[in-house]
């Protein structure tokens, strides 16, 4: 019996050691130091990391006393970060500020009372004047505003391989007027021997293509109405859009479900497709491949969406219960400042949200995007979290992915209507 | 600690003892040729993904194209004419810089996690396999069921527990979690192992009146090396490669290599695949070494256990 | 009386730390999970009421969930069959005696060392479904070796495509199963084989009556390890295809609902998965209990 007791004590001791090891090695030394800010992002590599580093350098200049700590969780276009973040919010252990797509993706946090209203911050920093009115409109939720955009991307861009189009006798410099005209060109291209003239990738890129078609067929107002309930999901226009989208899939590479966006863009780069609908971050892939804008590739707003800017933005929030609130506000000030926006966006290849940015500071593509951003009607991107809440987007994504596999238009329509109804 | 000490008296398992009957026979035979052919074909098949990892890690970003993933680099890293100046070596140095700080921490996690889980698993396995007590199978089921829990489902309450207890966002919390969730599978492996080794020795010691714990320390533990090898391999690999727990319970500043690798591989919209794959190879090296070193004892050790009978 | 204590006490005392810890971290958390699944917590906002089994009824009637179950079934069958087949085949060939066995063994075993965080990208490329001119990945290699007729759309095939997703999983775990079987083969005393041969048993009978019964505990152990990974398959799918409809299984569906803050649904899926686990555990336990009884 004695040895038995010993054994139990030994077993307990081992566990105790493990537990003690955990509790004694305390966390960072300066948990309560007010001069630090914990920023939660999914920018961890590539041009995003370069941009973030540039932003942090500006922050260090403006607020030399505040230590910046980055709790980056990358992967799954921010879905890993979202999951980890939700669990921390749930445990009442929020980071000071976290990255989120601007727009409806924030609704869940807002409803749960996890974000602070930043309207007065906007007032104090003159941001209502600095940002375009239509952007402010998209960011505002029940009269309040909950995030500060750091950068803007455009999602309704069609990338064009000049050689491929010219080979089929199509003028690459002029965008087709409408979806129907574009489908005619795609047909011409296919008949000329390009078997899959439209390069397409995995589920979210399909969702982005679908949202482009919706904008083209419903117009800015009709498309925006889908998200606030003023446009019916079973309207004739949506059905037309589903029809167009189905036709477009017929022109796409058959392996689309398995391709990342960059692999889809690569098909265009390799001259195996004529078109690719992708956000303007694709510019980096063309630059990396050594191609020149205007001679080897060109871009237009997706046919039928001219004059509309389908926007998405990364933004930062102020969490309720942020342990270092003043420091977090300083971070937001840096992000929204002209200097901060410039440092970040030049590195990342996106455009600033501020209208007072000097266009000539930026490369050529970004200059054209900046001009459109100020003139065009701004609508919110579905595929990138601006238009619909996370759960709505997830339902739509699944419906579109299913359509990509079975091409059942009736079921897609039913699913779209059901997804909208589930949000009520 | 105790593990290594206590196992030392065990008969050092010869690396691959083959009984004379099984020793490969010399001379040509159709069967043997066929066997080697099949085995070698499988070697090539298994190595396919590694080949792609290696060649991609040597390509500069501009040359990485899924459509040519089979091709050797057009521009080898030592050829200087790559435009833009980036070479395959840059992939490796960038990956090393990104991963190096976390590799040491991951050893501090994976080694103790493997040893503690194995020791606890072996005690549990011993009791469950050798002690007939009422409802033993129920207790075994209770433990075993823990294997099947989908971890994503318990992350939210787990993070809550972590913050209530004030546990830090680093390796020590992960160690605790890996030991806990490793218990079911380690218990299973040891239980099945102990069932398969001969009972005579133990029965004798029970007749001697030796206590359960004495039996365990002096008789069972020395025979347990193969079981330890299996569970240590399993737990070490799991702790080393785990991403889910690491993501929820630690942060990049104090977390393991899987987090750093994930940030490297997935942190940018335009992924640098060359760097990601160099990183994947670097991050896999320690586990690979564990397999090469312990793999030898894995089977050899188990056989020595049965030879003793 | 004293005897009773001797039988009960020591084993339970020794097991009690494990039982208590698992009671908290497994069963406590399962209970918390089940509790959430019975509420209307479909967003970050705390639950307002219990809804009974409504979430379960809704989930089991949902086409999307049934689709994910069907995917899981195909995946599981192919994954288990593949790892057991290759694991056994390799072990069997190596057991016959092979020079450089260590090299073969290390090569077969090593995929376990590689996490899917980055090798997932490689598999995505290998399983690319383009054929003919644009063929890359495995299709390209099949074409190069004159096996072009074997080209296929891999996991893009709607019904059986999940079988292709099992390839990386088979690649990763066959070596482990091989190691278990190899250990099993080596654990069979030579005397047993010799005795059977003396009795004039044919090779088949030797396997049927001597070797297979000896291997069955190992096979069961391998089976349960592989099946628990199969039910929970997550990393693999997330890194090879992402969480998309076509390759959705309950674990990735659960992830989608979790990231869209639908906690009740996520908890419901998790509970259904746990119930599914018992489909594997119960036959396993019955089998072990029976075989051990037979051995004693």
């Amino acid at each position: 019996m004695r040895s038995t007791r010993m054994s139990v004590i030994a077993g307990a001791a081992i566990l105790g050691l493990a537990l003690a090891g955990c509790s004694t090695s305390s966390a960072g030394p300066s948990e309560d130091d007010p001069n630090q800010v914990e920023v939660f992002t999914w920018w961890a590599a590539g041009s995003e990391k370069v941009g973030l580093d540039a932003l942090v350098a500006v922050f260090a200049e403006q607020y030399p006393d505040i230590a910046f700590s980055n709790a980056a969780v990358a992967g799954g276009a921010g879905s890993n970060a979202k999951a980890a973040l939700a669990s921390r919010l749930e445990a009442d252990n929020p980071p000071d500020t976290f990255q989120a797509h601007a727009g409806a993706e924030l609704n869940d946090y807002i409803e749960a009372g996890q974000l602070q209203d930043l309207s007065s911050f906007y007032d104090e920093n003159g941001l209502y004047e600095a940002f375009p009115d239509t952007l402010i409109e998209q960011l505002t939720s029940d009269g309040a505003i909950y995030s500060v955009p750091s950068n803007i991307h455009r999602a309704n861009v069609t990338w064009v391989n000049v050689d491929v189009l010219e080979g089929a006798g199509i003028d690459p410099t002029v965008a087709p007027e409408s979806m129907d005209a574009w489908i005619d060109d795609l047909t011409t291209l296919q008949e000329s021997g390009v078997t899959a003239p439209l390069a397409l990738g995995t589920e979210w890129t399909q969702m982005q293509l679908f949202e482009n078609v919706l904008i083209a067929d419903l117009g800015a107002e009709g498309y925006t109405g889908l998200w606030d309930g003023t446009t019916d999901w079973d309207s004739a226009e949506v059905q037309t859009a589903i029809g167009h989208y189905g036709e477009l899939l017929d022109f796409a590479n058959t392996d689309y479900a398995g391709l990342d966006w960059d692999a889809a863009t690569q098909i265009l780069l390799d001259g195996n497709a004529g078109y690719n609908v992708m956000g303007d971050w694709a510019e980096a892939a063309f630059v990396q491949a050594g191609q020149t804008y205007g001679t080897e590739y060109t871009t237009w707003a997706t046919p039928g969406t001219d004059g509309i800017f389908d926007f998405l933005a990364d933004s930062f929030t102020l969490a309720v219960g942020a342990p270092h609130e003043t420091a977090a506000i300083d971070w937001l000030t840096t992000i929204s400042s002209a200097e901060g926006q410039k440092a970040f966006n030049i590195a990342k290849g996106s455009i600033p949200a501020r209208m007072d940015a000097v266009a000539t500071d930026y490369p050529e593509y970004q200059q054209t995007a900046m001009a459109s951003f100020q003139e065009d009607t701004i609508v919110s991107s579905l595929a990138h979290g601006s238009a619909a809440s996370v759960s709505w987007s997830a339902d739509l994504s699944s419906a579109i992915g299913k359509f990509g596999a079975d091409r059942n238009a009736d079921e897609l329509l039913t699913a779209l209507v059901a997804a909208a109804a589930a949000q009520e | 600690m105790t593990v290594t000490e206590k196992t030392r008296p065990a008969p050092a398992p010869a690396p691959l003892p083959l009984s004379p009957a099984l020793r490969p026979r010399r001379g040509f035979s159709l069967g043997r040729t066929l066997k080697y052919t099949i085995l070698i074909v499988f070697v090539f098949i298994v190595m396919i993904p590694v080949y792609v990892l290696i060649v991609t890690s040597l390509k500069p970003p501009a040359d990485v194209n899924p459509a040519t993933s089979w091709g050797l680099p057009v521009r080898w890293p030592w050829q200087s004419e790559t435009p833009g100046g980036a070479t395959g070596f840059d992939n490796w140095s960038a990956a090393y810089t990104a991963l190096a700080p976390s590799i040491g921490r991951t050893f501090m996690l994976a080694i103790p996690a493997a040893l503690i889980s194995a020791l606890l698993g072996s005690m549990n396995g011993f009791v469950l396999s050798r002690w007939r007590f009422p409802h033993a199978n129920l207790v075994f089921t209770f433990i075993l069921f823990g294997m099947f829990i989908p971890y994503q489902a318990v992350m939210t309450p787990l993070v809550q527990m972590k913050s209530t207890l004030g546990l830090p966002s680093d390796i020590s919390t992960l160690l605790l979690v890996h030991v806990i969730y490793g218990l079911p599978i380690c218990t299973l492996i040891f239980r099945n192992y102990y069932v398969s080794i001969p009972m005579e020795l133990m029965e004798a010691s029970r007749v001697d009146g030796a206590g359960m714990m004495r039996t365990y320390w002096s008789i069972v533990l020395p025979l347990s090396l193969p079981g330890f090898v299996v569970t240590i391999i399993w737990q070490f690999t799991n702790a080393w490669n785990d991403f889910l727990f690491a993501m929820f319970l630690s942060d990049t500043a104090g977390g393991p290599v899987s987090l750093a690798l994930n940030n490297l591989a997935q942190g940018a919209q335009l992924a640098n695949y060359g760097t990601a794959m160099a990183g994947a190879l670097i991050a896999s090296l320690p586990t690979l070494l564990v397999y090469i070193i312990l793999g030898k004892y894995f089977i050899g050790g188990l056989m020595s256990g049965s030879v003793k009978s | 009386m004293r005897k009773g204590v001797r039988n009960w006490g020591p084993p339970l005392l020794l097991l009690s730390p494990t039982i208590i810890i698992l009671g908290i971290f497994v069963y406590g958390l399962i209970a918390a999970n089940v509790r959430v699944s019975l509420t209307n917590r479909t967003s970050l906002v705390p639950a307002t009421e219990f809804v009974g089994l409504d979430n379960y009824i809704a989930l089991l009637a949902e086409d999307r969930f049934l689709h994910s179950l069907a995917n899981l079934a195909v995946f599981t069958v192919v994954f288990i069959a593949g790892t057991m087949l290759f694991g056994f085949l390799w072990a069997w060939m190596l057991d016959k005696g092979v020079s450089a066995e260590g090299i073969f063994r290390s090569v077969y075993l090593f995929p376990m060392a590689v996490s899917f965080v980055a090798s997932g990208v490689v598999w995505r490329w290998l399983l690319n479904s383009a054929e003919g001119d644009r063929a890359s990945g495995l299709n390209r290699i099949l074409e190069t070796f004159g096996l072009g007729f074997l080209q296929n759309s891999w996991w893009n095939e709607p019904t059986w495509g999940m079988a292709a997703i099992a390839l990386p999983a088979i690649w990763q775990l066959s070596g482990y199963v091989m190691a278990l079987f190899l250990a099993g083969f080596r654990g069979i005393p030579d005397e047993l084989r010799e005795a059977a041969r003396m009795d004039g048993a044919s090779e088949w009978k030797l396997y049927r009556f001597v070797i297979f019964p000896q291997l069955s505990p190992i096979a069961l152990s391998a089976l349960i390890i592989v099946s628990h990974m199969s039910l929970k398959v997550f990393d693999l799918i997330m890194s090879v295809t992402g969480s998309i409809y076509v390759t959705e299984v309950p674990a990735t569906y659960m992830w989608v609902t979790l990231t869209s803050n639908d906690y009740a649904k996520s908890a419901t899926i998790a509970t259904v998965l746990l119930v599914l686990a018992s489909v594997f555990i119960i036959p396993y336990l019955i089998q072990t209990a029976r075989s051990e009884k037979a051995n004693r």
Side-chain angles (χ1 to χ4, degrees), chain B residues 58-87:
Chain B
L58 294 174
K59 294 175 185 176
D63 292 348
V64 174
N65 181 346
T68 58
S69 51
W70 292 114
L72 290 170
V74 183
R75 291 177 278 237
W76 290 93
W78 51 87
Q79 293 170 329
S80 52
E81 70 263 37
T82 314
T87 70

Side-chain angles (χ1 to χ4, degrees), chain A residues 51-123:
Chain A
L52 182 64
D53 290 345
L55 194 56
V56 172
V58 175
F59 182 60
E61 225 168 79
Q62 292 178 346
Y63 302 97
D65 300 335
I66 303 175
F68 173 89
S69 91
N70 178 6
V73 179
S79 81
N80 289 343
K82 271 178 228 161
L85 176 68
S87 71
R88 284 187 57 176
L89 292 174
E90 195 75 11
D92 286 326
N93 177 23
D96 298 310
T97 169
F98 59 85
Q99 179 185 0
H101 290 123
E105 200 173 282
L106 293 171
N107 288 356
D108 287 358
Y109 304 115
I110 297 170
E111 276 167 32
Q114 289 167 334
L115 295 183
Q116 300 197 29
D117 181 7
L118 293 168
S119 324
S120 57
F121 174 85
Y122 269 61
D123 264 333

